[in-house]
Amino acid sequence: LDAPEITLNGNSIEIIDGDNTPSASDNTNFGDVTTPDGIGDSVTNTFTILNTGNLDLVISGAITSSDSQFSITQPSSLTIASGSSDTFTITFDPSVTGTHTSTIEIPNNDSDENPYNFSVTGEGVIGDVPFNCDYYAYLFQRNDIYAVDLASGNTYLVKEDITAGNINGVGYNPTDGFMWGSLSSPEK
Protein backbone atom coordinates (compact mmCIF):
# COMPACT_ATOMS: atom_id res chain seq x y z
CA LEU A 1 0.00 0.00 0.00
CA ASP A 2 1.36 3.41 -0.96
CA ALA A 3 1.14 5.69 2.07
CA PRO A 4 3.16 7.89 4.39
CA GLU A 5 4.05 6.41 7.79
CA ILE A 6 4.91 8.65 10.74
CA THR A 7 7.31 7.46 13.41
CA LEU A 8 8.56 9.62 16.27
CA ASN A 9 11.81 9.29 18.21
CA GLY A 10 13.10 11.02 21.30
CA ASN A 11 16.73 10.39 22.25
CA SER A 12 16.79 7.74 19.45
CA ILE A 13 13.98 5.80 21.17
CA GLU A 14 10.61 5.35 19.46
CA ILE A 15 7.64 7.10 21.08
CA ILE A 16 4.45 5.31 20.06
CA ASP A 17 1.31 7.19 19.07
CA GLY A 18 -0.85 7.70 22.16
CA ASP A 19 2.05 7.22 24.61
CA ASN A 20 0.96 8.73 27.93
CA THR A 21 3.84 7.48 30.11
CA PRO A 22 6.60 10.10 29.86
CA SER A 23 10.13 8.82 30.40
CA ALA A 24 13.54 10.46 30.71
CA SER A 25 14.97 7.80 28.37
CA ASP A 26 12.95 9.08 25.38
CA ASN A 27 13.16 12.78 26.38
CA THR A 28 9.46 13.04 27.27
CA ASN A 29 10.14 13.54 31.00
CA PHE A 30 11.93 16.88 31.33
CA GLY A 31 12.70 16.35 35.03
CA ASP A 32 13.02 19.10 37.64
CA VAL A 33 13.39 22.62 36.24
CA THR A 34 13.81 25.75 38.35
CA THR A 35 10.98 28.29 38.10
CA PRO A 36 11.52 32.07 38.03
CA ASP A 37 11.37 32.01 41.84
CA GLY A 38 14.75 30.31 41.49
CA ILE A 39 17.01 31.25 38.60
CA GLY A 40 14.37 30.47 35.96
CA ASP A 41 15.93 27.66 33.96
CA SER A 42 14.45 25.85 30.99
CA VAL A 43 15.12 22.49 29.32
CA THR A 44 14.87 21.91 25.57
CA ASN A 45 14.60 18.41 24.11
CA THR A 46 14.77 17.45 20.43
CA PHE A 47 12.38 15.01 18.76
CA THR A 48 12.70 13.41 15.32
CA ILE A 49 9.79 12.77 12.95
CA LEU A 50 10.60 9.97 10.51
CA ASN A 51 8.66 8.98 7.41
CA THR A 52 9.04 5.21 7.03
CA GLY A 53 6.30 5.07 4.37
CA ASN A 54 6.71 5.33 0.59
CA LEU A 55 4.80 8.61 0.02
CA ASP A 56 5.50 12.09 1.37
CA LEU A 57 4.47 12.70 4.98
CA VAL A 58 2.85 16.11 5.34
CA ILE A 59 2.72 17.90 8.69
CA SER A 60 -0.66 19.51 8.08
CA GLY A 61 -0.57 22.19 10.78
CA ALA A 62 1.32 23.43 13.80
CA ILE A 63 2.49 20.91 16.36
CA THR A 64 0.69 21.92 19.55
CA SER A 65 0.99 21.55 23.32
CA SER A 66 -1.96 21.44 25.70
CA ASP A 67 0.05 23.18 28.47
CA SER A 68 1.64 26.60 27.90
CA GLN A 69 4.62 25.65 30.09
CA PHE A 70 5.85 23.64 27.06
CA SER A 71 6.65 25.59 23.88
CA ILE A 72 7.37 24.07 20.50
CA THR A 73 9.79 25.07 17.78
CA GLN A 74 8.25 23.72 14.59
CA PRO A 75 10.12 21.47 12.12
CA SER A 76 11.92 23.27 9.29
CA SER A 77 9.85 21.49 6.64
CA LEU A 78 6.18 20.55 6.55
CA THR A 79 6.81 17.81 3.98
CA ILE A 80 9.02 14.85 4.86
CA ALA A 81 9.95 12.63 1.93
CA SER A 82 9.88 8.85 2.11
CA GLY A 83 12.86 7.61 4.12
CA SER A 84 13.63 11.10 5.45
CA SER A 85 13.24 12.85 8.78
CA ASP A 86 13.02 16.28 10.38
CA THR A 87 13.30 17.51 13.95
CA PHE A 88 11.40 19.82 16.26
CA THR A 89 12.08 20.90 19.82
CA ILE A 90 10.00 21.20 22.96
CA THR A 91 11.11 23.61 25.67
CA PHE A 92 9.86 23.23 29.23
CA ASP A 93 10.06 26.64 30.93
CA PRO A 94 7.85 26.51 34.03
CA SER A 95 6.54 29.77 35.43
CA VAL A 96 5.08 28.11 38.54
CA THR A 97 6.07 25.19 40.73
CA GLY A 98 4.44 21.77 40.50
CA THR A 99 3.99 18.95 38.03
CA HIS A 100 3.13 19.95 34.48
CA THR A 101 1.89 17.44 31.91
CA SER A 102 1.04 18.20 28.30
CA THR A 103 -0.35 16.34 25.33
CA ILE A 104 1.63 17.06 22.18
CA GLU A 105 -0.28 16.74 18.89
CA ILE A 106 1.29 16.40 15.46
CA PRO A 107 -1.30 16.82 12.69
CA ASN A 108 -0.30 14.86 9.58
CA ASN A 109 -1.52 12.85 6.59
CA ASP A 110 -0.83 9.34 7.99
CA SER A 111 -4.33 7.83 7.78
CA ASP A 112 -4.11 5.77 10.99
CA GLU A 113 -2.02 8.12 13.18
CA ASN A 114 -3.53 11.56 12.68
CA PRO A 115 -3.00 13.38 14.90
CA TYR A 116 0.05 11.71 16.40
CA ASN A 117 -0.26 12.24 20.18
CA PHE A 118 2.11 11.75 23.07
CA SER A 119 2.56 13.12 26.59
CA VAL A 120 5.40 15.07 28.14
CA THR A 121 5.93 16.06 31.76
CA GLY A 122 8.19 18.15 33.94
CA GLU A 123 8.37 19.47 37.46
CA GLY A 124 8.71 23.17 38.23
CA VAL A 125 10.80 23.58 41.38
CA ILE A 126 12.24 26.44 43.43
CA GLY A 127 16.02 26.36 43.43
CA ASP A 128 18.36 27.22 46.26
CA VAL A 129 19.20 30.79 45.32
CA PRO A 130 19.37 33.98 47.32
CA PHE A 131 17.03 36.94 47.01
CA ASN A 132 14.59 36.58 44.20
CA CYS A 133 16.83 35.28 41.41
CA ASP A 134 19.50 37.86 40.79
CA TYR A 135 23.19 38.00 41.54
CA TYR A 136 23.42 41.19 43.57
CA ALA A 137 24.01 41.72 47.24
CA TYR A 138 21.70 44.18 48.91
CA LEU A 139 22.56 46.82 51.47
CA PHE A 140 19.82 48.15 53.73
CA GLN A 141 20.71 51.55 55.08
CA ARG A 142 18.13 53.20 57.32
CA ASN A 143 15.06 52.93 55.06
CA ASP A 144 16.80 52.76 51.65
CA ILE A 145 17.87 49.70 49.64
CA TYR A 146 21.10 49.65 47.60
CA ALA A 147 22.20 46.89 45.19
CA VAL A 148 25.85 45.89 45.16
CA ASP A 149 27.19 44.36 41.94
CA LEU A 150 29.35 41.55 43.31
CA ALA A 151 31.54 41.46 40.20
CA SER A 152 32.46 45.16 40.08
CA GLY A 153 31.67 46.38 43.59
CA ASN A 154 29.53 49.20 42.20
CA THR A 155 26.40 50.18 44.10
CA TYR A 156 23.19 51.87 43.07
CA LEU A 157 20.02 52.92 44.81
CA VAL A 158 17.21 50.42 44.26
CA LYS A 159 14.49 52.04 46.34
CA GLU A 160 14.43 55.08 48.57
CA ASP A 161 12.25 55.69 51.62
CA ILE A 162 10.59 52.28 51.54
CA THR A 163 9.17 52.68 55.02
CA ALA A 164 8.71 55.29 57.73
CA GLY A 165 11.13 53.50 60.10
CA ASN A 166 14.65 52.15 59.93
CA ILE A 167 15.04 48.60 58.62
CA ASN A 168 16.57 46.48 61.38
CA GLY A 169 16.69 42.94 59.97
CA VAL A 170 15.85 41.30 56.64
CA GLY A 171 15.36 37.72 55.52
CA TYR A 172 14.41 36.08 52.23
CA ASN A 173 11.41 33.71 52.22
CA PRO A 174 11.82 31.22 49.30
CA THR A 175 8.22 30.05 49.73
CA ASP A 176 6.69 33.33 48.59
CA GLY A 177 9.73 34.96 46.96
CA PHE A 178 9.64 38.07 49.18
CA MET A 179 12.11 39.67 51.51
CA TRP A 180 10.71 40.34 54.97
CA GLY A 181 12.12 42.77 57.49
CA SER A 182 11.55 44.38 60.82
CA LEU A 183 11.68 48.02 61.78
CA SER A 184 13.82 49.35 64.60
CA SER A 185 11.87 52.57 65.03
CA PRO A 186 8.96 54.38 63.46
CA GLU A 187 11.18 57.32 62.41
CA LYS A 188 14.08 57.67 60.00
Side-chain angles (χ1 to χ4, degrees), residues 105-172:
E105 287 193 354
I106 306 171
N108 66 86
N109 67 335
D110 181 332
S111 62
D112 64 347
E113 294 174 300
N114 180 29
Y116 199 100
N117 302 300
F118 65 102
S119 294
V120 294
T121 193
E123 184 81 18
V125 298
I126 294 177
D128 295 327
V129 295
F131 188 61
N132 207 18
C133 65
D134 63 28
Y135 297 101
Y136 291 103
Y138 288 86
L139 171 65
F140 294 84
Q141 197 169 38
R142 290 183 283 289
N143 65 344
D144 301 333
I145 301 175
Y146 293 86
V148 181
D149 183 333
L150 297 177
S152 69
N154 295 329
T155 63
Y156 65 91
L157 182 65
V158 173
K159 186 73 175 168
E160 191 173 55
D161 295 322
I162 62 170
T163 184
N166 290 325
I167 301 169
N168 188 31
V170 176
Y172 175 68

Side-chain angles (χ1 to χ4, degrees), residues 19-165:
D19 183 4
N20 62 3
T21 55
S23 168
S25 63
D26 65 8
N27 280 345
T28 54
N29 186 330
F30 287 71
D32 291 351
V33 178
T34 307
T35 67
D37 293 328
I39 291 293
D41 293 332
S42 64
V43 172
T44 299
N45 291 339
T46 301
F47 297 87
T48 303
I49 301 171
L50 301 105
N51 180 5
T52 58
N54 57 5
L55 294 179
D56 287 350
L57 175 68
V58 177
I59 306 304
S60 54
I63 300 172
T64 60
S65 167
S66 65
D67 183 331
S68 64
Q69 308 299 305
F70 296 90
S71 60
I72 298 172
T73 301
Q74 301 296 317
S76 60
S77 176
L78 296 180
T79 302
I80 302 171
S82 174
S84 296
S85 65
D86 202 351
T87 61
F88 67 96
T89 61
I90 301 174
T91 299
F92 177 50
D93 188 8
S95 60
V96 294
T97 59
T99 301
H100 301 275
T101 301
S102 178
T103 300
I104 306 300
E105 287 193 354
I106 306 171
N108 66 86
N109 67 335
D110 181 332
S111 62
D112 64 347
E113 294 174 300
N114 180 29
Y116 199 100
N117 302 300
F118 65 102
S119 294
V120 294
T121 193
E123 184 81 18
V125 298
I126 294 177
D128 295 327
V129 295
F131 188 61
N132 207 18
C133 65
D134 63 28
Y135 297 101
Y136 291 103
Y138 288 86
L139 171 65
F140 294 84
Q141 197 169 38
R142 290 183 283 289
N143 65 344
D144 301 333
I145 301 175
Y146 293 86
V148 181
D149 183 333
L150 297 177
S152 69
N154 295 329
T155 63
Y156 65 91
L157 182 65
V158 173
K159 186 73 175 168
E160 191 173 55
D161 295 322
I162 62 170
T163 184

